[in-house]
Each structure stands twice: as C-alpha cells, then as structure tokens.
C-alpha cells in the first residue's frame, strides 16, 4: 500500500495537470509491483482519469474501480444509472465513457448546478471531514432528480460520498464504489 498526500493531488487536478498525476501514480504503482504486489488498485474514482498511464508501467493487472462497479450493476440488472462524483468524474469520459462503451450502461449525470453542488461538497466538506445535514439534503434532492430522469440506481463515484449519503436517505439503490472495489480486490487476492 502506498498513500499519497491529497493536497498536492487536488492542486494538480484543479490545474488539469493529468500527465504529472499519471506519472506520480505510475511511479507508486511500479514501486508496489517491485515490492511484490500481484495487482494494483487506485483507491479513488477521480484518479482513474490516469489509469491508462499507470497500466502502461505495469506487468500486473490494475483492478479498475469502474469495471468492478459496472459488473455489479449488470449482475443486479441495472441498465440506467445516475453518477455522482467530482466534476472530473461526472464531466469527463474516462469513467462514464467506460461504463457506456465497455458495459453498455446508460449513465445519467446531474444538471450543471447539481454537479457544482456535488463537486463543491466533496472538496470543501467531505475531504475535510465535514458532514453537513444541509449538504445531505442537497444530495438527496440531486438523487431524486436523477431518479426522475430514469436512473434505476446511483453510483457513489467518489469515495467520500458514502460519508454523507446512505440507503436510509434515498429510495434508489446506491452503489458505493469503495466497498465494491474492495470486494473485487479480495476476490482477486483469493483466486487460486
């Protein structure tokens, strides 16, 4: 396991310096492989933006968080899913495009104002350990609007969202990517 300091990562994300972020994570992954790791996980949704760069440097598999999530959705018969996450995850194609193109899922993202609310809450509250009831109510409203657009379930596409939102808060099934990714890693580790 290698943990990186999030502050510089967040700054590079804001500056759209994805090439540097890719190099940073590829170096970490290569070191883990050299230490004996037989598989690699990037334990965040947004940083899968650089997954291809990491894969280029590895001889072991990268267990992609979107793949694990899509497989679970399909197992459960979900075809149309809402996606919550950072603006990068909701706006860019690296995540939702993979869900659509590789797995045939229809991905619904919130409208612009709702995407801003979700992104701001993640970076200004959840990443700082702030859990606010008003923000929870805002997220519930966002999920309700996704449901009205036909979402059958919602992907919690940021590892911090589960701190704020749970099945007790909404009617739609929630897919916690952190939990799903961890379960996939355990299955991988226990394979003969």
């Amino acid at each position: 396991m290698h943990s990186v300091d999030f502050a510089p990562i967040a700054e590079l994300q804001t500056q759209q310096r994805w090439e540097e972020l890719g190099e940073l994570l590829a170096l970490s992954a290569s070191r883990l492989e050299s230490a004996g790791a037989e598989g690699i996980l990037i334990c965040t949704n947004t940083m899968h933006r650089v997954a291809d760069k990491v894969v280029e440097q590895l001889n072991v598999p990268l267990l992609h968080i979107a793949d694990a999530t899509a497989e679970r959705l399909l197992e459960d018969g979900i075809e149309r899913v809402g996606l919550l996450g950072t603006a990068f995850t909701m706006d860019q194609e690296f995540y939702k495009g993979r869900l659509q193109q590789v797995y045939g899922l229809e991905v619904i993202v919130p409208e612009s104002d709702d995407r801003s609310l979700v992104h701001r809450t993640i970076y200004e509250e959840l990443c700082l350990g702030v859990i606010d009831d008003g923000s929870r109510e805002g997220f519930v409203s966002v999920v309700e609007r996704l449901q009205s657009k036909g979402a059958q379930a919602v992907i919690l596409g940021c590892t911090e969202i589960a701190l704020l939102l749970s099945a007790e808060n909404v009617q739609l099934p929630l897919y916690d990517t952190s939990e799903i990714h961890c379960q996939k890693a355990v299955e991988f580790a226990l394979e003969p």
Side-chain angles (χ1 to χ4, degrees), residues 100-119:
Q100 293 166 330
Q101 295 161 12
V102 176
Y103 295 96
L105 293 166
E106 182 181 339
V107 181
I108 304 166
V109 295
E111 296 295 330
S112 179
D113 288 347
D114 285 346
R115 289 194 313 271
S116 295
L117 167 75
V118 170
H119 182 82

Side-chain angles (χ1 to χ4, degrees), residues 143-151 172:
V143 169
E144 289 170 350
R145 285 188 280 281
L146 290 171
Q147 184 175 14
S148 73
K149 290 180 168 187
L172 286 182

Side-chain angles (χ1 to χ4, degrees), residues 32-54:
L32 291 170
E33 181 180 7
S34 295
E38 296 175 352
I40 300 295
L41 282 81
I42 300 172
C43 298
T44 166
N45 290 273
T46 297
M47 289 307 295
H48 277 77
R49 167 74 167 74
V50 299
D52 290 343
K53 179 75 170 176
V54 174

Side-chain angles (χ1 to χ4, degrees), residues 3-4 14 21 25 35 47 50 57 61 76 85 139 151 157 176-178 180:
S3 184
V4 296
T14 301
L21 287 163
L25 286 195
M47 289 307 295
V50 299
Q57 303 301 314
D76 292 348
F139 270 56
D176 181 349
T177 56
S178 296
I180 294 167

